[in-house]
Amino acid sequence: RLQRLEAEVDQSDALLWRLKAAVAMEGKDADFLLAAETSMRKVFIESRRLESPYTDHFELAAARNEAESFQTIVVPVKDDLTSVPWSMSPLRSEKGKEIAATVRLVGYVNCKQPSYKVTSLGWWPDPLLDFMDKVDVVPVGEVLPLWVTVKVPEDAAAGTYEGKLTVKAQGARSQTMT
């Protein structure tokens, strides 16, 4: 009986995710969406578990000589995405000053049952893969989190800086996160 109830919850989660994606897609002709998340929350690989808001921007604050991060999540909604590269522009102030940002792919580790009780098994987000700037495929039903880090130099000029993370996929219109 418990297994049946768990399966029903999984189906409900999947339906809720599809409804949220449909609302986010309204009026858009896109093959994938972008969502944003803080660096404090784990983003699991299954799209049905995604709780992050769909958006095209993320704001963070940092002081000189400090690093701050956030996640941009690529979410296929129609079909698998193939040949998916990403790139990040420098963050620029209104006065033309620049701060570099790095983007790293969030990798997953398959966690098995330990000797103690845990809330979830399977693929857990963990390593940051700084040697990759594209993936071959993002299957529909999964997500691709990208970890964006801004390291503010100690001599950085105060102000508001803006940059763009661009994500592409073969046969799809590119999406940007400002």
Side-chain angles (χ1 to χ4, degrees):
R1 181 173 176 219
L2 181 60
Q3 288 176 332
R4 190 181 86 244
L5 288 173
E6 287 174 342
E8 288 177 14
V9 167
D10 284 347
Q11 288 175 345
S12 296
D13 286 348
L15 177 60
L16 181 59
W17 174 81
R18 285 195 300 276
L19 290 171
K20 284 182 183 177
V23 168
M25 289 290 296
E26 190 165 340
K28 294 181 184 177
D29 180 26
D31 294 302
F32 64 96
L33 294 170
L34 297 179
E37 188 56 75
T38 70
S39 59
M40 300 303 291
R41 179 176 256 170
K42 293 200 176 286
V43 175
F44 290 92
I45 199 167
E46 302 94 353
S47 59
R48 66 179 172 75
R49 295 179 69 179
L50 185 66
E51 297 177 7
S52 308
Y54 295 108
T55 184
D56 61 358
H57 68 281
F58 190 86
E59 293 183 20
L60 59 89
R64 291 180 181 144
N65 208 27
E66 186 175 72
E68 292 291 339
S69 299
F70 72 96
Q71 298 173 81
T72 295
I73 305 127
V74 180
V75 186
V77 291
K78 294 181 180 178
D79 295 305
D80 294 353
L81 299 177
T82 57
S83 186
V84 183
W86 53 87
S87 60
M88 181 77 201
S89 71
L91 282 69
R92 288 190 181 87
S93 72
E94 291 177 352
K95 296 179 181 177
K97 302 289 185 185
E98 291 188 356
I99 296 175
T102 59
V103 182
R104 295 174 286 176
L105 175 66
V106 177
Y108 289 88
V109 176
N110 193 6
C111 296
K112 309 271 189 226
Q113 178 65 53
S115 59
Y116 50 88
K117 185 176 173 130
V118 295
T119 58
S120 183
L121 299 173
W123 295 102
W124 276 74
D126 187 52
L128 297 177
L129 308 174
D130 58 2
F131 58 90
M132 297 180 72
D133 60 0
K134 68 176 183 172
V135 295
D136 292 334
V137 66
V138 182
V140 71
E142 293 185 8
V143 299
L144 177 78
L146 301 171
W147 191 272
V148 181
T149 301
V150 178
K151 291 183 182 178
V152 182
E154 66 181 62
D155 63 345
T160 301
Y161 291 72
E162 186 175 292
K164 291 191 184 290
L165 170 63
T166 302
V167 180
K168 300 177 181 180
Q170 185 174 346
R173 194 176 351 197
S174 65
Q175 303 278 339
T176 59
M177 175 76 65
T178 304

